Amino acid sequence: MDDYPLLNLFWTMLELFVFILWFFLLFKIITDIFRSDDMGGWGKAGWTIFVILLPLIGVLVYLIARGSSMAQRDVDQMRKTDEAFQAYVRQAAAEGGGGTGGSHADQLAKLAELKNTGAISDDEFQKAKAKLLA
């Protein structure tokens, strides 16, 4: 380790950091290319080939040409994810939480409807009601 001065160690660490940062940026841009709805298949293929074959120039040109709309696509993706999550929460709450098939009031209403239509007897209705309320 005597042949490797401290300044060279810092320089190597900086190069490693920039290399890792470069990969993060490259993956972010490739993700943005495929997520973009305003580009067709040929446009996506062209940008992907350009970014992979000429990485430094391709990434810089992509950031100059389409960088301003990358943030908007990120916001749109987060909004879609949040809306999907909110819809799932509303659906789970409407179903009564644990997949029980609805709230007790809904189940009682279904039992009353079955009794009124004659599908179950009054005795069966009372037993099912007692079991549900227990």
Side-chain angles (χ1 to χ4, degrees):
M1 187 86 178
D2 293 333
D3 298 358
Y4 205 67
L6 187 61
L7 188 59
N8 285 352
L9 179 67
F10 287 131
W11 183 251
T12 303
M13 289 174 56
L14 180 66
E15 288 175 342
L16 181 65
F17 175 74
V18 169
F19 186 69
I20 291 171
L21 185 67
W22 175 256
F23 270 108
F24 274 109
L25 182 61
L26 184 66
F27 290 140
K28 174 73 175 161
I29 287 177
I30 289 175
T31 302
D32 188 66
I33 289 171
F34 286 106
R35 182 175 44 199
S36 180
D37 291 334
D38 60 342
M39 265 196 295
W42 287 107
K44 291 178 183 183
W47 275 112
T48 304
I49 290 170
F50 189 45
V51 166
I52 290 175
L53 291 182
L54 300 171
L56 181 62
I57 296 170
V59 166
L60 291 176
V61 170
Y62 187 84
L63 287 175
I64 292 168
R66 297 181 51 84
S68 61
S69 60
M70 283 177 70
Q72 185 59 42
R73 284 188 290 277
D74 281 341
V75 169
D76 291 343
Q77 180 66 32
M78 284 187 277
R79 186 176 298 123
K80 288 178 187 176
T81 303
D82 186 52
E83 287 172 0
F85 176 72
Q86 294 297 330
Y88 170 75
V89 168
R90 283 191 294 274
Q91 177 190 4
E95 289 178 355
T100 59
S103 68
H104 291 301
D106 292 339
Q107 292 177 359
L108 282 173
K110 289 177 187 176
L111 282 173
E113 184 179 333
L114 288 172
K115 181 184 127 188
N116 291 339
T117 59
I120 60 173
S121 67
D122 189 47
D123 188 43
E124 292 171 327
F125 172 75
Q126 293 300 331
K127 287 179 185 176
K129 179 178 158 186
K131 182 179 176 185
L132 182 64
L133 296 177

